[in-house]
Amino acid sequence: QGRSWDPAQLSRTTQGLTALLLSLKKCPMIRYQLSSELAKRLAECVKQVITKEYELFDFRRTEVPPLLLILDRSDDAITPLLNQWTYQAMVHELLGINNNRIDLSRVPGISKDLREVVLSAENDEFYANNMYLNFAEIGSNIKNLMEDFQRRKPKEQQKLESIADMKAFVENYPQFKKMSGTVSKHVTVVGELSRLVAERNLLEVSEVEQELACQNDHSSALQNVRRLLQHPRLTELDAARLVMLYALHYERHSSNSLPGLLGELRNRGVPDRYRKLVAAVVEYGGKRVRGSDLFSPKDAVAITKQFLKGLKGVENVYTQHQPLLHETLDQLIKGKLKDSQYPYLGPNTLRDRPQDIIVFIIGGTTYEEALTVYNLNRSNPGVRVVLGGTTIHNTRR
């Protein structure tokens, strides 16, 4: 994404966001990320549309008005670069989700009817129940789904000796067929995810990514990145991704070894277009651009928490990372989000705890952030957060 708005793009984004507000029947107060000129421009344009079309936005006033918070992707370029380990996010990272459709045509030995499948929480109960669970749990739940299917499966030699037998079979057949489709679809998707994880050595890659994103040990991080860059199964994309994460975290470290890592990418045969992206991602989301500090806790409590986390370890080394959005929304819900960094557009401010929050991220959001919003909604009764953005990223995107 460029650092200035193309007029047509700004117009489309404004229309999309105001259409979302209309569909939610919301006329919100607006806050935006001060460090982003893009966020300020979009906030002003949305405000202009609401003012101009005030009759459309004349909804029943609530005691606590909803809040629109406009953020910029460049404040957290780390999140879209990480491998994911919950079902929905993992599918998008490794296979890609486009309008709920998954292209499986490249899966070895795939049958014709599974070359493209649909994953939608609205009409797939298994997906709805598992989309936010981690991969280990998915494997167990797939096994239970298959066992349940086997129990319900009509016996091949089922005798249809009477009209009643035939009627019962016909009545049960659609349900059986639907369940059969669900089982074959998810077994295929999870099987392909497992194959890619093993083929690309992603467990080891992800562990080092999480260290780069969440810890502050430069010597260990550099050693682990160098070790992985020698691994024969590491893909070009994963090699570049590790160096990007290193560059974002340690760009101003006194012992920064980025030139050497770029040389190792070149020696490994990683194409020039990937090597150039390392500098591009720092220009896009580096320390000079960010309004927030992604890597250093700002208060004593946060520093203590990080220290204890390092001592005790974490429940899962592959899911240590929390997007910056989690901290931002947590502060907003508690009424502690600083006006100096996220000002209101206009003279009015929200005195009460917000109940309806619409977050829009310019430059795109991620399924890891969707998981964060899902968890915040569950843990904060009386607060409803809706997440939107200009696209939904995975690393390739």
Side-chain angles (χ1 to χ4, degrees):
Q1 301 285 335
R3 290 290 84 205
S4 61
W5 279 113
D6 168 78
Q9 186 187 28
L10 177 58
S11 175
R12 284 195 304 273
T13 307
T14 303
Q15 288 171 13
L17 186 46
T18 50
L20 171 66
L21 296 172
L22 279 170
S23 71
L24 296 171
K25 295 184 167 58
K26 303 298 179 192
C27 183
M29 298 180 74
I30 302 175
R31 294 181 75 172
Y32 63 93
Q33 184 182 313
L34 183 63
S35 63
S36 168
E37 184 61 31
L38 300 183
K40 184 180 180 182
R41 288 280 308 281
L42 182 59
E44 289 170 345
C45 286
V46 171
K47 184 71 174 175
Q48 285 172 9
V49 172
I50 291 174
T51 303
K52 185 179 177 183
E53 307 287 354
Y54 68 93
E55 290 179 350
L56 288 175
F57 287 89
D58 188 22
F59 303 116
R60 182 176 63 84
R61 303 289 171 179
T62 54
E63 203 169 302
V64 180
L67 184 70
L68 170 63
L69 177 64
I70 299 178
L71 305 175
D72 193 318
R73 176 78 273 158
S74 63
D75 222 27
D76 176 9
I78 290 284
T79 296
L81 292 175
L82 297 174
N83 268 293
Q84 299 299 320
W85 296 99
T86 55
Y87 195 24
Q88 182 187 43
M90 210 175 168
V91 169
H92 190 42
E93 178 59 33
L94 297 180
L95 302 174
I97 300 175
N98 185 16
N99 293 329
N100 291 342
R101 294 179 180 277
I102 321 300
D103 181 1
L104 297 174
S105 60
R106 296 179 185 176
V107 176
I110 192 73
S111 63
K112 191 174 180 180
D113 58 333
L114 287 172
R115 286 180 182 170
E116 183 180 79
V117 299
V118 174
L119 290 184
S120 169
E122 291 180 6
N123 53 31
D124 185 331
E125 187 179 354
F126 181 85
Y127 185 58
N129 293 336
N130 288 272
M131 59 198 289
Y132 296 124
L133 298 185
N134 67 52
F135 198 51
E137 292 174 287
I138 301 299
S140 174
N141 291 346
I142 281 279
K143 182 172 178 285
N144 294 337
L145 181 69
M146 288 187 70
E147 288 173 352
D148 187 34
F149 173 64
Q150 291 297 332
R151 280 194 299 271
R152 299 189 191 190
K153 189 176 179 180
K155 294 180 177 59
E156 288 183 24
Q157 303 301 323
Q158 184 173 3
K159 294 179 180 178
L160 302 177
E161 296 178 340
S162 67
I163 297 295
D165 289 343
M166 294 178 195
K167 186 178 178 186
F169 178 80
V170 170
E171 285 174 354
N172 290 328
Y173 185 74
Q175 185 182 358
F176 161 71
K177 191 173 181 183
K178 181 181 178 183
M179 191 173 183
S180 171
T182 299
V183 171
S184 58
K185 174 173 68 177
H186 289 290
V187 166
T188 302
V189 171
V190 171
E192 179 62 3
L193 294 179
S194 298
R195 186 185 73 82
L196 291 171
V197 166
E199 182 179 271
R200 290 169 51 183
N201 192 36
L202 290 183
L203 286 171
E204 199 175 350
V205 170
S206 180
E207 193 170 346
V208 175
E209 287 175 6
Q210 293 287 318
E211 180 186 9
L212 287 165
C214 305
Q215 309 299 327
N216 278 311
D217 186 341
H218 174 263
S219 176
S220 172
L222 179 59
Q223 183 180 345
N224 285 325
V225 171
R226 280 182 167 154
R227 175 176 54 80
L228 273 182
L229 288 180
Q230 305 306 315
H231 198 288
R233 292 210 308 271
L234 191 72
T235 66
E236 293 171 348
L237 176 65
D238 291 330
R241 182 208 315 247
L242 286 168
V243 178
M244 284 179 190
L245 290 167
Y246 173 87
L248 283 166
H249 192 149
Y250 296 110
E251 61 177 301
R252 297 190 181 178
H253 194 277
S254 57
S255 302
N256 178 287
S257 297
L258 185 57
L261 292 177
L262 288 169
E264 290 186 43
L265 287 182
R266 185 174 60 251
N267 294 340
R268 193 186 164 88
V270 173
D272 188 45
R273 69 179 188 279
Y274 276 160
R275 299 201 307 274
K276 284 181 177 177
L277 286 177
V278 176
V281 82
V282 174
E283 185 181 344
Y284 175 77
K287 200 171 180 67
R288 181 183 60 81
V289 178
R290 295 194 298 265
S292 305
D293 195 332
L294 274 176
F295 301 107
S296 300
K298 298 168 202 62
D299 55 58
V301 174
I303 291 168
T304 305
K305 276 183 184 173
Q306 188 179 65
F307 176 67
L308 289 173
K309 187 176 178 181
L311 282 180
K312 295 176 183 175
V314 290
E315 192 177 336
N316 187 335
V317 294
Y318 306 110
T319 56
Q320 298 172 59
H321 179 257
Q322 287 270 28
L324 179 64
L325 181 65
H326 180 275
E327 181 191 339
T328 305
L329 287 175
D330 186 57
Q331 294 291 306
L332 177 60
I333 289 167
K334 291 173 179 173
K336 295 180 179 179
L337 193 64
K338 292 179 181 177
D339 291 8
S340 58
Q341 291 176 294
Y342 300 91
Y344 286 86
L345 192 65
N348 298 325
T349 59
L350 196 61
R351 294 194 180 92
D352 302 291
R353 170 177 160 162
Q355 294 173 350
D356 278 295
I357 302 166
I358 301 105
V359 187
F360 189 85
I361 303 180
I362 298 165
T365 186
T366 66
Y367 282 123
E368 186 184 351
E369 286 157 334
L371 172 64
T372 290
V373 166
Y374 169 77
N375 287 330
L376 283 170
N377 281 330
R378 289 206 312 170
S379 59
N380 292 278
V383 176
R384 184 175 77 132
V385 184
V386 175
L387 176 66
T390 45
T391 191
I392 303 177
H393 284 301
N394 55 16
T395 302
R396 286 185 186 280
R397 182 77 188 229

PDB file of all heavy atoms in Angstrom, residues 283-298:
ATOM      1  N   GLU A 283      10.372   0.012   5.235  1.00  0.00           N
ATOM      2  CA  GLU A 283       9.925   1.351   4.832  1.00  0.00           C
ATOM      3  C   GLU A 283       8.435   1.534   5.131  1.00  0.00           C
ATOM      4  O   GLU A 283       7.988   2.600   5.536  1.00  0.00           O
ATOM      5  CB  GLU A 283      10.188   1.552   3.338  1.00  0.00           C
ATOM      6  CG  GLU A 283       9.872   2.963   2.857  1.00  0.00           C
ATOM      7  CD  GLU A 283      10.106   3.137   1.360  1.00  0.00           C
ATOM      8  OE1 GLU A 283      10.779   2.296   0.748  1.00  0.00           O
ATOM      9  OE2 GLU A 283       9.597   4.134   0.818  1.00  0.00           O
ATOM     10  N   TYR A 284       7.668   0.455   4.958  1.00  0.00           N
ATOM     11  CA  TYR A 284       6.216   0.510   5.169  1.00  0.00           C
ATOM     12  C   TYR A 284       5.846   0.541   6.647  1.00  0.00           C
ATOM     13  O   TYR A 284       4.992   1.332   7.063  1.00  0.00           O
ATOM     14  CB  TYR A 284       5.552  -0.705   4.509  1.00  0.00           C
ATOM     15  CG  TYR A 284       4.073  -0.794   4.776  1.00  0.00           C
ATOM     16  CD1 TYR A 284       3.173   0.022   4.087  1.00  0.00           C
ATOM     17  CD2 TYR A 284       3.573  -1.673   5.722  1.00  0.00           C
ATOM     18  CE1 TYR A 284       1.813  -0.041   4.344  1.00  0.00           C
ATOM     19  CE2 TYR A 284       2.216  -1.742   5.985  1.00  0.00           C
ATOM     20  CZ  TYR A 284       1.342  -0.925   5.292  1.00  0.00           C
ATOM     21  OH  TYR A 284      -0.015  -0.987   5.561  1.00  0.00           O
ATOM     22  N   GLY A 285       6.482  -0.340   7.448  1.00  0.00           N
ATOM     23  CA  GLY A 285       6.046  -0.476   8.840  1.00  0.00           C
ATOM     24  C   GLY A 285       7.175  -0.430   9.843  1.00  0.00           C
ATOM     25  O   GLY A 285       7.064  -0.995  10.933  1.00  0.00           O
ATOM     26  N   GLY A 286       8.263   0.257   9.510  1.00  0.00           N
ATOM     27  CA  GLY A 286       9.413   0.352  10.417  1.00  0.00           C
ATOM     28  C   GLY A 286       9.190   1.365  11.531  1.00  0.00           C
ATOM     29  O   GLY A 286       8.143   2.020  11.630  1.00  0.00           O
ATOM     30  N   LYS A 287      10.199   1.505  12.380  1.00  0.00           N
ATOM     31  CA  LYS A 287      10.097   2.351  13.574  1.00  0.00           C
ATOM     32  C   LYS A 287       9.795   3.810  13.219  1.00  0.00           C
ATOM     33  O   LYS A 287       9.080   4.501  13.940  1.00  0.00           O
ATOM     34  CB  LYS A 287      11.411   2.258  14.364  1.00  0.00           C
ATOM     35  CG  LYS A 287      11.294   2.674  15.811  1.00  0.00           C
ATOM     36  CD  LYS A 287      12.566   2.333  16.570  1.00  0.00           C
ATOM     37  CE  LYS A 287      12.481   2.743  18.027  1.00  0.00           C
ATOM     38  NZ  LYS A 287      11.499   1.973  18.801  1.00  0.00           N
ATOM     39  N   ARG A 288      10.321   4.271  12.110  1.00  0.00           N
ATOM     40  CA  ARG A 288      10.100   5.659  11.699  1.00  0.00           C
ATOM     41  C   ARG A 288       8.627   5.929  11.407  1.00  0.00           C
ATOM     42  O   ARG A 288       8.131   7.038  11.603  1.00  0.00           O
ATOM     43  CB  ARG A 288      10.940   5.951  10.446  1.00  0.00           C
ATOM     44  CG  ARG A 288      10.838   7.363   9.907  1.00  0.00           C
ATOM     45  CD  ARG A 288      11.650   7.496   8.627  1.00  0.00           C
ATOM     46  NE  ARG A 288      11.202   6.589   7.589  1.00  0.00           N
ATOM     47  CZ  ARG A 288      10.144   6.815   6.795  1.00  0.00           C
ATOM     48  NH1 ARG A 288       9.439   7.927   6.929  1.00  0.00           N
ATOM     49  NH2 ARG A 288       9.806   5.946   5.865  1.00  0.00           N
ATOM     50  N   VAL A 289       7.906   4.903  10.950  1.00  0.00           N
ATOM     51  CA  VAL A 289       6.515   5.064  10.515  1.00  0.00           C
ATOM     52  C   VAL A 289       5.527   4.816  11.651  1.00  0.00           C
ATOM     53  O   VAL A 289       4.503   5.488  11.752  1.00  0.00           O
ATOM     54  CB  VAL A 289       6.209   4.067   9.355  1.00  0.00           C
ATOM     55  CG1 VAL A 289       4.763   4.175   8.907  1.00  0.00           C
ATOM     56  CG2 VAL A 289       7.156   4.308   8.193  1.00  0.00           C
ATOM     57  N   ARG A 290       5.855   3.871  12.520  1.00  0.00           N
ATOM     58  CA  ARG A 290       4.885   3.418  13.528  1.00  0.00           C
ATOM     59  C   ARG A 290       4.556   4.494  14.546  1.00  0.00           C
ATOM     60  O   ARG A 290       5.432   5.217  15.012  1.00  0.00           O
ATOM     61  CB  ARG A 290       5.424   2.193  14.279  1.00  0.00           C
ATOM     62  CG  ARG A 290       5.596   0.967  13.418  1.00  0.00           C
ATOM     63  CD  ARG A 290       5.786  -0.274  14.266  1.00  0.00           C
ATOM     64  NE  ARG A 290       6.975  -0.251  15.098  1.00  0.00           N
ATOM     65  CZ  ARG A 290       8.141  -0.780  14.752  1.00  0.00           C
ATOM     66  NH1 ARG A 290       8.270  -1.373  13.579  1.00  0.00           N
ATOM     67  NH2 ARG A 290       9.170  -0.742  15.577  1.00  0.00           N
ATOM     68  N   GLY A 291       3.268   4.548  14.913  1.00  0.00           N
ATOM     69  CA  GLY A 291       2.844   5.424  16.001  1.00  0.00           C
ATOM     70  C   GLY A 291       2.955   4.733  17.338  1.00  0.00           C
ATOM     71  O   GLY A 291       2.951   5.373  18.392  1.00  0.00           O
ATOM     72  N   SER A 292       3.019   3.412  17.343  1.00  0.00           N
ATOM     73  CA  SER A 292       3.118   2.623  18.572  1.00  0.00           C
ATOM     74  C   SER A 292       4.423   1.844  18.572  1.00  0.00           C
ATOM     75  O   SER A 292       5.014   1.615  17.525  1.00  0.00           O
ATOM     76  CB  SER A 292       1.949   1.628  18.664  1.00  0.00           C
ATOM     77  OG  SER A 292       0.722   2.299  18.566  1.00  0.00           O
ATOM     78  N   ASP A 293       4.871   1.451  19.763  1.00  0.00           N
ATOM     79  CA  ASP A 293       6.054   0.618  19.844  1.00  0.00           C
ATOM     80  C   ASP A 293       5.619  -0.829  19.946  1.00  0.00           C
ATOM     81  O   ASP A 293       5.036  -1.253  20.931  1.00  0.00           O
ATOM     82  CB  ASP A 293       6.909   1.004  21.059  1.00  0.00           C
ATOM     83  CG  ASP A 293       8.313   0.409  20.966  1.00  0.00           C
ATOM     84  OD1 ASP A 293       8.442  -0.653  20.322  1.00  0.00           O
ATOM     85  OD2 ASP A 293       9.251   0.999  21.508  1.00  0.00           O
ATOM     86  N   LEU A 294       5.908  -1.587  18.905  1.00  0.00           N
ATOM     87  CA  LEU A 294       5.456  -2.975  18.835  1.00  0.00           C
ATOM     88  C   LEU A 294       6.196  -3.888  19.804  1.00  0.00           C
ATOM     89  O   LEU A 294       5.670  -4.919  20.211  1.00  0.00           O
ATOM     90  CB  LEU A 294       5.684  -3.524  17.424  1.00  0.00           C
ATOM     91  CG  LEU A 294       4.614  -3.291  16.373  1.00  0.00           C
ATOM     92  CD1 LEU A 294       5.098  -3.827  15.040  1.00  0.00           C
ATOM     93  CD2 LEU A 294       3.319  -3.977  16.769  1.00  0.00           C
ATOM     94  N   PHE A 295       7.413  -3.528  20.181  1.00  0.00           N
ATOM     95  CA  PHE A 295       8.279  -4.508  20.825  1.00  0.00           C
ATOM     96  C   PHE A 295       8.649  -4.207  22.273  1.00  0.00           C
ATOM     97  O   PHE A 295       9.146  -5.070  22.957  1.00  0.00           O
ATOM     98  CB  PHE A 295       9.569  -4.667  20.013  1.00  0.00           C
ATOM     99  CG  PHE A 295       9.311  -5.113  18.603  1.00  0.00           C
ATOM    100  CD1 PHE A 295       9.454  -4.232  17.548  1.00  0.00           C
ATOM    101  CD2 PHE A 295       8.896  -6.401  18.337  1.00  0.00           C
ATOM    102  CE1 PHE A 295       9.213  -4.635  16.241  1.00  0.00           C
ATOM    103  CE2 PHE A 295       8.645  -6.820  17.034  1.00  0.00           C
ATOM    104  CZ  PHE A 295       8.802  -5.929  15.993  1.00  0.00           C
ATOM    105  N   SER A 296       8.433  -2.983  22.749  1.00  0.00           N
ATOM    106  CA  SER A 296       8.827  -2.655  24.121  1.00  0.00           C
ATOM    107  C   SER A 296       7.613  -2.285  24.949  1.00  0.00           C
ATOM    108  O   SER A 296       6.963  -1.282  24.670  1.00  0.00           O
ATOM    109  CB  SER A 296       9.811  -1.469  24.121  1.00  0.00           C
ATOM    110  OG  SER A 296      10.952  -1.808  23.382  1.00  0.00           O
ATOM    111  N   PRO A 297       7.280  -3.090  25.998  1.00  0.00           N
ATOM    112  CA  PRO A 297       6.183  -2.726  26.888  1.00  0.00           C
ATOM    113  C   PRO A 297       6.453  -1.360  27.510  1.00  0.00           C
ATOM    114  O   PRO A 297       7.582  -1.050  27.888  1.00  0.00           O
ATOM    115  CB  PRO A 297       6.200  -3.824  27.952  1.00  0.00           C
ATOM    116  CG  PRO A 297       6.941  -4.959  27.337  1.00  0.00           C
ATOM    117  CD  PRO A 297       7.925  -4.347  26.382  1.00  0.00           C
ATOM    118  N   LYS A 298       5.411  -0.545  27.635  1.00  0.00           N
ATOM    119  CA  LYS A 298       5.611   0.837  28.045  1.00  0.00           C
ATOM    120  C   LYS A 298       5.512   1.051  29.549  1.00  0.00           C
ATOM    121  O   LYS A 298       5.951   2.042  30.065  1.00  0.00           O
ATOM    122  CB  LYS A 298       4.588   1.744  27.352  1.00  0.00           C
ATOM    123  CG  LYS A 298       4.734   1.727  25.843  1.00  0.00           C
ATOM    124  CD  LYS A 298       3.555   2.388  25.184  1.00  0.00           C
ATOM    125  CE  LYS A 298       3.410   1.930  23.757  1.00  0.00           C
ATOM    126  NZ  LYS A 298       3.168   0.512  23.601  1.00  0.00           N
TER     127      LYS A 298
END
